[in-house]
Amino acid sequence: MPHHSPTLARLAMTVLQPGFDGTAPPDWLRRALSEGLGGAVLFARNLADPAQTAELVAGLRRENPAVVVAVDEEGGAVTRLEARTGSSWPGNRALGVADDAERTERVAREIGRLLAAADITLDYAPVVDVNANPANPVIGIRSFGPDPELVARQTTAWITGLQGAGVAACAKHFPGHGDTVTDSHHALPTVHADLELLRERDLPPFRAAVKAGVQAVMCGHLLVPALDPGNPATLSRRILTGLLREEMGFDGMLVTDAIEMGAVAALHPPGEIAVRALAAGVDAICVGVSSADGESVYALRDAIVRAVHDGRLPEERLAEAAGRVLALAGWYAGNAAARERDARKTPEAPDGRGGRDPREEGEELGLQAARAAMRVTVAGDRTAHPPVLSRPPLVVDIAPRLNLAIDPSTPTGLVGAMSELLPGTTGHTVAAETAGLPDLSDHRRPLVLVAHDAPRHAWVRDLLSQAVGLRPDAIVIETGLPGEPTGAVHIATHGISRVSARAAALWLTGGQ
């Protein structure tokens, strides 16, 4: 057996980025960090409030100051730090509809400040997939849009804003998850586009991300036969090393999507996925779910060490991967002074006497971004004036199951926003295809119907049609990708978040 350095186990630990349970670091995680574990991923299940989040991260850093602490904070539907309230930001599609690069940069900078306040290293965002297929069940409004130039423009602005706040961005899901009809949480999607289309449509936003200096890229669990007919991107040297590294010139940290997702979990055991991904050119292995005592994380470490001993994974490749993880941690450490300066800044008022609370500034920016994305169609006279609701409405939320990237506890409905403005608002959720509408016969009570991605769900369209047939005065709010406007008033928010709901509620009540 060839000689291997005694640091091999530590190198193998460095490339792992596991999730864990609980709101404090479990014992196994603290031990693993002291042994060189290079990363940890936070989910909504770990986070209660800003103070607890900061203390949790501090606890991780006490064991390993260089740990890469990562989180999915996309804004809009996918939020971890604001999962209990809903996001303060309307999400990518809303930003893309408005297509104001300066505003997008400011929004991303505010997200960066939120993460910097908790000492989080890396945001697994932005999604830079071009949502070319409206039937896509997992990307949709998480994408800036269907046009590659717009997505590239917005990608550059978002990365510039987030990294300007001293937090690393991660462009995902390479080489592009937009033209799929399968959710990779469940099964392996195939992108059927030819090479020319991929180069024209899917790759430009990733090129823009590399040019913008993005610190990390996440590969998607996708089969792209035009690039590699035999391996999903996560395990494809041709795609990750040949295309991303050698052709596109990316030299930052390359991380997998979570390896327990159905798309790859069905192909190989976790240790084998990790080894093959590293051999293909990945630097960090994201594992969303770990066993209660961390045995699954140590099993991954052992599988990687064994593969080096067996000659299946060159030690130089593992060392290079670990080096890139440490380089990202070094980039973050090098931005500490910038983060501190940013945190101390309070915007100056025009008279020079100091500004308002930055949180208020952020809330105003989020609302401004949500309003800029709203598209309203009023039936009949099509006036631009809001049909002011003066009485509390019945809000019927026709809610198809959101995808697994979205934390199930995140509130998505309009009821909360309407209740704040019109106390006495009542809500009814139609949660499944088998459920019907509630009683809509009381015409004295205004009716607001909320749908998400109605064009993708025949049962949602049918219920909307029934409801509008019974109540032509109904207001329809579409929070996903809109189809043909329906109802007396149709509002497309292009985002499902607390701030998008608030923007719609303010419009409906005349609060602009």
Side-chain angles (χ1 to χ4, degrees), residues 123-497:
D123 191 356
Y124 287 152
V127 170
V128 309
D129 304 315
V130 177
N131 198 62
N133 192 330
N136 193 317
V138 69
I139 303 302
I141 57 167
R142 296 169 64 200
S143 161
F144 291 114
D147 173 67
E149 285 183 20
L150 178 145
V151 175
R153 209 165 39 240
Q154 291 288 311
T155 292
T156 299
W158 210 99
I159 290 166
T160 303
L162 187 88
Q163 295 193 165
V167 173
C170 179
K172 63 186 184 186
H173 308 81
F174 187 79
H177 204 322
D179 188 13
T180 63
V181 291
T182 304
D183 182 343
S184 51
H185 292 89
H186 300 294
L188 181 64
T190 300
V191 178
H192 294 288
D194 62 27
L195 193 56
E196 188 180 356
L197 182 55
L198 290 171
R199 289 192 179 282
E200 283 176 11
R201 182 191 67 192
D202 298 77
L203 296 181
F206 289 98
R207 291 189 192 280
V210 172
K211 192 175 176 187
V214 74
Q215 290 296 308
V217 169
M218 177 182 283
C219 55
H221 300 317
L222 309 159
L223 188 65
V224 191
L227 297 173
D228 185 339
N231 299 288
T234 312
L235 310 179
S236 171
R237 187 168 176 79
R238 201 181 295 182
I239 292 173
L240 302 184
T241 299
L243 178 59
L244 182 62
R245 295 281 188 214
E246 293 167 2
E247 184 185 316
M248 295 172 71
F250 176 65
D251 194 38
M253 190 190 81
L254 177 57
V255 60
T256 67
D257 210 340
I259 63 168
E260 74 275 9
M261 288 166 61
V264 290
L267 300 177
H268 305 286
E272 184 66 12
I273 293 169
V275 167
R276 290 185 183 219
L278 287 162
V282 155
D283 304 307
I285 307 295
C286 171
V287 200
V289 179
S290 303
S291 55
D293 294 319
E295 309 95 334
S296 60
V297 173
Y298 283 94
L300 288 172
R301 178 200 66 181
D302 294 347
I304 293 166
V305 169
R306 200 161 47 246
V308 175
H309 281 299
D310 293 348
R312 296 180 56 222
L313 176 64
E315 187 172 351
E316 306 75 52
R317 169 78 273 273
L318 179 59
E320 176 187 57
R324 287 210 185 97
V325 174
L326 295 172
L328 186 132
W331 177 91
Y332 180 79
N335 277 280
R339 283 191 299 278
E340 279 173 32
R341 273 198 311 273
D342 213 35
R344 282 199 302 269
K345 269 185 200 165
T346 46
E348 286 291 314
D351 60 7
R353 288 185 305 197
R356 294 168 293 172
D357 182 335
R359 284 168 303 186
E360 285 178 26
E361 297 267 328
E363 276 188 30
E364 195 172 295
L365 175 62
L367 191 56
Q368 186 191 92
R371 281 176 169 146
M374 276 194 345
R375 296 294 179 265
V376 181
T377 307
V378 181
D381 62 4
R382 300 194 178 267
T383 59
H385 302 293
V388 179
L389 284 177
S390 53
R391 298 192 307 281
L394 167 63
V395 178
V396 180
D397 202 345
I398 306 171
R401 171 116 172 79
L402 294 169
N403 68 68
L404 289 177
I406 298 165
D407 190 85
S409 63
T410 311
T412 57
L414 194 82
V415 180
M418 291 301 304
S419 297
E420 273 181 39
L421 298 169
L422 289 173
T425 294
T426 54
H428 178 95
T429 300
V430 181
E433 302 176 37
T434 51
L437 293 164
D439 180 9
L440 306 178
S441 61
D442 182 0
H443 284 253
R444 293 166 305 174
R445 191 166 181 79
L447 175 63
V448 179
L449 304 164
V450 185
H452 185 75
D453 281 354
R456 284 204 305 112
H457 301 277
W459 68 275
V460 176
R461 290 197 307 277
D462 289 347
L463 284 185
L464 277 177
S465 175
Q466 272 179 52
V468 172
L470 291 165
R471 292 286 300 273
D473 62 318
I475 293 161
V476 177
I477 299 178
E478 169 58 74
T479 60
L481 300 182
E484 280 298 307
T486 177
V489 179
H490 184 274
I491 301 177
T493 63
H494 297 99
I496 187 164
S497 68

